[in-house]
Amino acid sequence: MKRPKLRKASKRLSCHKRYKIQKKIREHHRKVRKEAKKRGHKKPKKDPGIPSAAPFKEELLREAEQRKQRLEELKQKQKLNRQKEHEKKRKLEAKKNAAKIKEKAEGKESPGKSKGKTNKLLNKNSKKSFCRELMKVLEASDVVLEVLDARDPMGCRCPQLEQAVTCSGGNKKLLLVLNKTDLVPKDNLEKWLNYLKKEFPTVAFKSATMMKDKTMQEQVTKRRARVDFSETSQYFGSKCLLKLLQEYSKTQDKGIQVGVVGFPNVGKSSIINSLKGKRACNVGLARGVTKSMQIVHLDKQTKMLDSPSIIADPSNSTLALALRSIIDTEGSDSADVLEGVNAIINHCSKQQIMMHYNIPDFRDPEEFLSLLAQKRGMLKKGGVPDIENMAKLVLCDWTGARIKYYSQPPGFQKPPPYLTEQKIAEMQEGFNLNNLEEENSNTVQALKHPSPASSIVFQSAGMTNGTIEENKVIEEGPEWANMETSKEEEEEEEEEEEFTESDDDEDDVEEDDDDDVEEESQVQVTRRTQPGKGQTNPTNSKEQMAGNERSRSLSFSLDKPADEDDAYDFNTDYV
């Protein structure tokens, strides 16, 4: 039975509907005409041209034609210029693509050569370039400010950097700047200031996270939105730090360069912005925003040198690597992020985390992330909680300024081996420590501190080792590339072997099979003569022969070409 053809839906309208639409159209046109009349918009009148009675009519017409020709020529020239620019861009893109393809091919063929090229031309995002720029800052600066996060000051200290500055021998000074002091309880902050001032001069600081600039003001006025800069643009401790630096420059009788160093997300660039009073350096939540040395002039006597972050050594604990290493949360491996979150949760009180995130009891970090994802609505298809993205968000919260946590200073103060009493005295020389203590106490009182009940107690992992020298940096990218190239080479070799084996003639296959069968028979004979009885049973020899014939026939049938697979094999049936 034939299936009836499905007719398309008719486009006819009822008369009532059609007349209604026409009426609306007429009303709309009437409305448009009225508005045009109000505006005084009239149709452009046609050019009447030059009247025939006008003198010099021919000359005027020629001039008009010449103008038209010039305009057309200009348009054609502009068009040609655009086409040339497009062609240049296309050629450049084609060259870049060809260069990339060549680099990939060369990397597969000769990884050694590609390594040499990459060493010459370092990428700005590479760890070696970060180390190079950091060393430039350390060499050029007279005073080095090591910025510490007040929530975990010991975890932000780098012994390699401190040793390099103290043992440089160039009359360099090292100051510790405790940033993000508004995220820590008052008693805890005072304890840390008393602990750190015994080793280096320490300044309590609260930097501005968002500074007003011209572009931002324009955007606000255009959108007519109210942006509250009161909390984000407030900064404390800038006067104290400026006074310290100015007094030191007077003792030196020359202008000084001040280098700002530290691990990622401690607030190096925001401190420079706070001292300058406006946005001079780029600031962001992402790690590794500053990729090269930047010079900012505070006044005639002092220059600030912004530096990229210190690179955490891979030998550190998972907690230190999670909080202090330059991890791109968007592009990094999910396993590393999950390990980092696991380490953070294990170093905190479970009840405090439950209270802070307002979630029920959990057994392990994975369950914690799944509960948090369900609460915040981060779900995949089928309502499955998105644990990976949730882990990245949690890591960003802990490295940023959202979560208020604090760590206790060690009970017994034991300075590191590179800090002798003589070195401590040298570092404190040239600074008025009494004024510094007074200014620190003023800043501590002026700040709004969170209560210990609302903040999380955190167990610090101690000092974080960092790599400063370019030679000691281990780049992760080339190693993975080498692994991939080696795997690809192995796969290619295996394919070649399979191809050669399948392309062999039948005679060669038979010879190989005969050799294999002989070897197997010899092995079986030796096994059976091992027990010590020098005699061989005739039944065993018959079994051996049968086994050999079976193996020979099986191997022959397996190695046959595809055309002979369907043929019936009498040998296997007979055996």
Side-chain angles (χ1 to χ4, degrees), residues 169-182:
N171 197 21
K172 286 187 182 181
K173 304 293 180 185
L174 183 69
L175 291 174
L176 300 179
V177 180
L178 263 182
N179 195 19
K180 302 181 184 180
T181 49
D182 58 323

Side-chain angles (χ1 to χ4, degrees), residues 118-137 290-293 307-309 311 326 467-471 473 475:
T118 50
N119 286 335
K120 286 178 184 177
L121 300 167
L122 282 172
N123 187 14
K124 280 187 178 180
N125 295 325
S126 67
K127 292 180 180 179
K128 285 189 176 179
S129 69
F130 277 36
C131 282
R132 190 185 288 174
E133 294 295 321
L134 183 64
M135 285 304 291
K136 278 184 191 176
V137 172
T290 308
K291 291 170 186 176
S292 59
M293 184 175 76
S307 69
S309 308
I311 292 155
I326 302 167
T467 48
I468 298 167
E469 295 177 7
E470 191 181 339
N471 301 326
V473 174
E475 291 284 356

Side-chain angles (χ1 to χ4, degrees), residues 225-239:
R226 290 181 181 178
V227 180
D228 187 21
F229 289 103
S230 59
E231 291 182 2
T232 54
S233 61
Q234 280 183 351
Y235 50 91
F236 298 92
S238 59
K239 288 180 182 178

Side-chain angles (χ1 to χ4, degrees), residues 524-525 528 536-548:
Q524 285 174 1
V525 168
R528 283 172 186 169
T536 56
N537 295 326
T539 54
N540 294 339
S541 63
K542 284 177 184 178
E543 285 173 4
Q544 284 175 17
M545 290 294 287
N548 294 340

